[in-house]
């Protein structure tokens, strides 16, 4: 069974530019999570989806971050415009509802 | 609110020696507790979890952890370290009302194995 797929794996952009990350969850997993992991820190939840509905986006900085999960499968996380402080690893995870989360390898973002 | 504190951001042990990674939690309700491992350039993988059943929990790769309410601890141990155990380890806590859905992670402990 394929795991959680994320792309790109690495991204380098100039500040003020837009950037998007893509996540394909494990087949059949209703719940999808986006996490932010700063260097030397644990992951912090940005947003959680149940199917196509964002059920917890309280930690998502909505002035510059947006996310969508069309058709309740793949998801995209966008930052516009990116700031230097957004340099981090963005992790996607999925799970059957209420069950163990499975994490993807992450996208490592560097904003110059 | 819930939180976990991982004591020691870096731990080094010799190959074959005991591994002990410390985690203390703070929770207003009996918590669920988790240990995840992260290998370089990979996502997090669940090692084990405590969900109010047996207090001694056995996980993958020979790891185990014991829930001690009196000490608010959930330390991770392995009797004999292997080179392949070198990784970052994260302790996490959740409110049972939310099951596995709302995890709060610690800052991680990087484990180095000395040959």
């Amino acid at each position: 069974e394929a795991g959680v797929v994320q792309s790109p794996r690495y991204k380098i952009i100039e500040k003020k530019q837009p950037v998007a990350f893509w996540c394909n969850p494990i087949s059949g997993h209703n719940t999808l999570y986006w996490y932010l992991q700063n260097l030397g820190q644990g992951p912090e939840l940005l947003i959680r989806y149940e199917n196509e509905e964002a059920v917890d986006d309280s930690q998502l900085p909505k002035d510059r971050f947006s996310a969508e999960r069309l058709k309740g499968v793949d998801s995209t996380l966008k930052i516009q415009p990116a700031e230097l402080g957004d340099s981090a690893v963005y992790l996607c995870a999925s799970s059957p509802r209420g069950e163990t989360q499975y994490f993807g390898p992450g996208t490592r973002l560097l904003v110059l | 609110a819930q939180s976990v504190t991982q004591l020691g951001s870096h731990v080094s042990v010799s190959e074959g020696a005991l591994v002990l990674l410390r985690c203390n939690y703070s929770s207003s309700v009996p918590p669920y507790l988790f240990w995840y491992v992260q290998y370089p350039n990979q996502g997090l993988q669940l090692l084990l979890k405590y969900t109010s059943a047996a207090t001694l929990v056995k996980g993958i790769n020979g790891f185990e952890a014991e829930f001690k309410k009196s000490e608010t601890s959930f330390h991770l141990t392995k009797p004999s370290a292997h080179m392949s155990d070198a990784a970052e380890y994260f302790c996490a806590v959740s409110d049972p009302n939310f099951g596995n859905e709302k995890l709060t992670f610690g800052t991680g402990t990087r484990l180095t194995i000395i040959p």
Side-chain angles (χ1 to χ4, degrees):
Chain A
E1 180 182 85
V4 176
V5 179
Q6 291 188 247
S7 69
R9 292 293 313 276
Y10 305 91
K11 189 73 175 180
I12 301 174
I13 60 172
E14 300 281 336
K15 63 180 180 181
K16 300 184 181 180
Q17 294 300 305
V19 65
F21 314 125
W22 176 79
C23 174
N24 177 239
I26 293 173
S27 178
H29 284 193
N30 306 96
T31 309
L32 185 145
Y33 311 76
W34 282 103
Y35 288 88
L36 167 67
Q37 185 177 19
N38 286 305
L39 186 64
Q41 302 294 318
E44 300 173 27
L45 180 69
L46 289 172
I47 189 169
R48 174 168 64 94
Y49 282 93
E50 290 294 343
N51 299 306
E52 67 275 9
E53 181 183 1
V55 295
D56 184 356
D57 63 355
S58 58
Q59 301 303 311
L60 188 73
K62 298 182 181 64
D63 56 337
R64 296 185 301 107
F65 285 66
S66 65
E68 61 182 11
R69 191 183 184 197
L70 300 176
K71 301 181 180 178
V73 182
D74 295 358
S75 178
T76 302
L77 177 68
K78 298 178 182 178
I79 309 175
Q80 182 171 11
E83 297 178 351
L84 296 177
D86 296 331
S87 295
V89 176
Y90 292 83
L91 294 167
C92 180
S94 71
S95 73
R97 185 167 186 173
E99 299 298 320
T100 298
Q101 297 183 34
Y102 293 83
F103 285 79
T107 295
R108 188 175 298 274
L109 174 67
L110 179 59
V111 182
L112 301 176
Chain B
Q2 299 175 300
S3 65
V4 290
T5 300
Q6 292 186 241
L7 301 177
S9 57
H10 292 84
V11 171
S12 297
V13 301
S14 297
E15 189 174 15
L18 171 72
V19 175
L20 171 61
L21 305 182
R22 301 178 186 273
C23 174
N24 287 89
Y25 69 90
S26 174
S27 177
S28 56
V29 298
Y32 284 0
L33 291 159
F34 307 77
W35 276 101
Y36 280 83
V37 61
Q38 186 176 33
Y39 298 102
N41 297 317
Q42 295 186 29
L44 282 73
Q45 178 183 6
L46 181 67
L47 277 177
L48 49 82
K49 63 180 178 181
Y50 166 77
T51 57
S52 74
T55 56
L56 181 62
V57 182
K58 294 185 183 298
I60 62 172
N61 302 339
F63 284 93
E64 62 182 37
E66 186 172 8
F67 173 72
K68 291 187 177 181
K69 183 178 178 180
S70 61
E71 299 178 6
T72 61
S73 69
F74 189 60
H75 301 333
L76 182 71
T77 61
K78 182 174 181 178
S80 177
H82 191 271
M83 295 301 294
S84 62
D85 295 327
E88 186 108 26
Y89 292 80
F90 292 93
C91 182
V93 62
S94 78
D95 183 327
N97 291 317
F98 297 99
N100 299 283
E101 294 174 346
K102 291 181 73 80
L103 301 181
T104 300
F105 287 87
T107 54
T109 297
R110 184 170 299 279
L111 176 64
T112 300
I113 309 299
I114 303 168

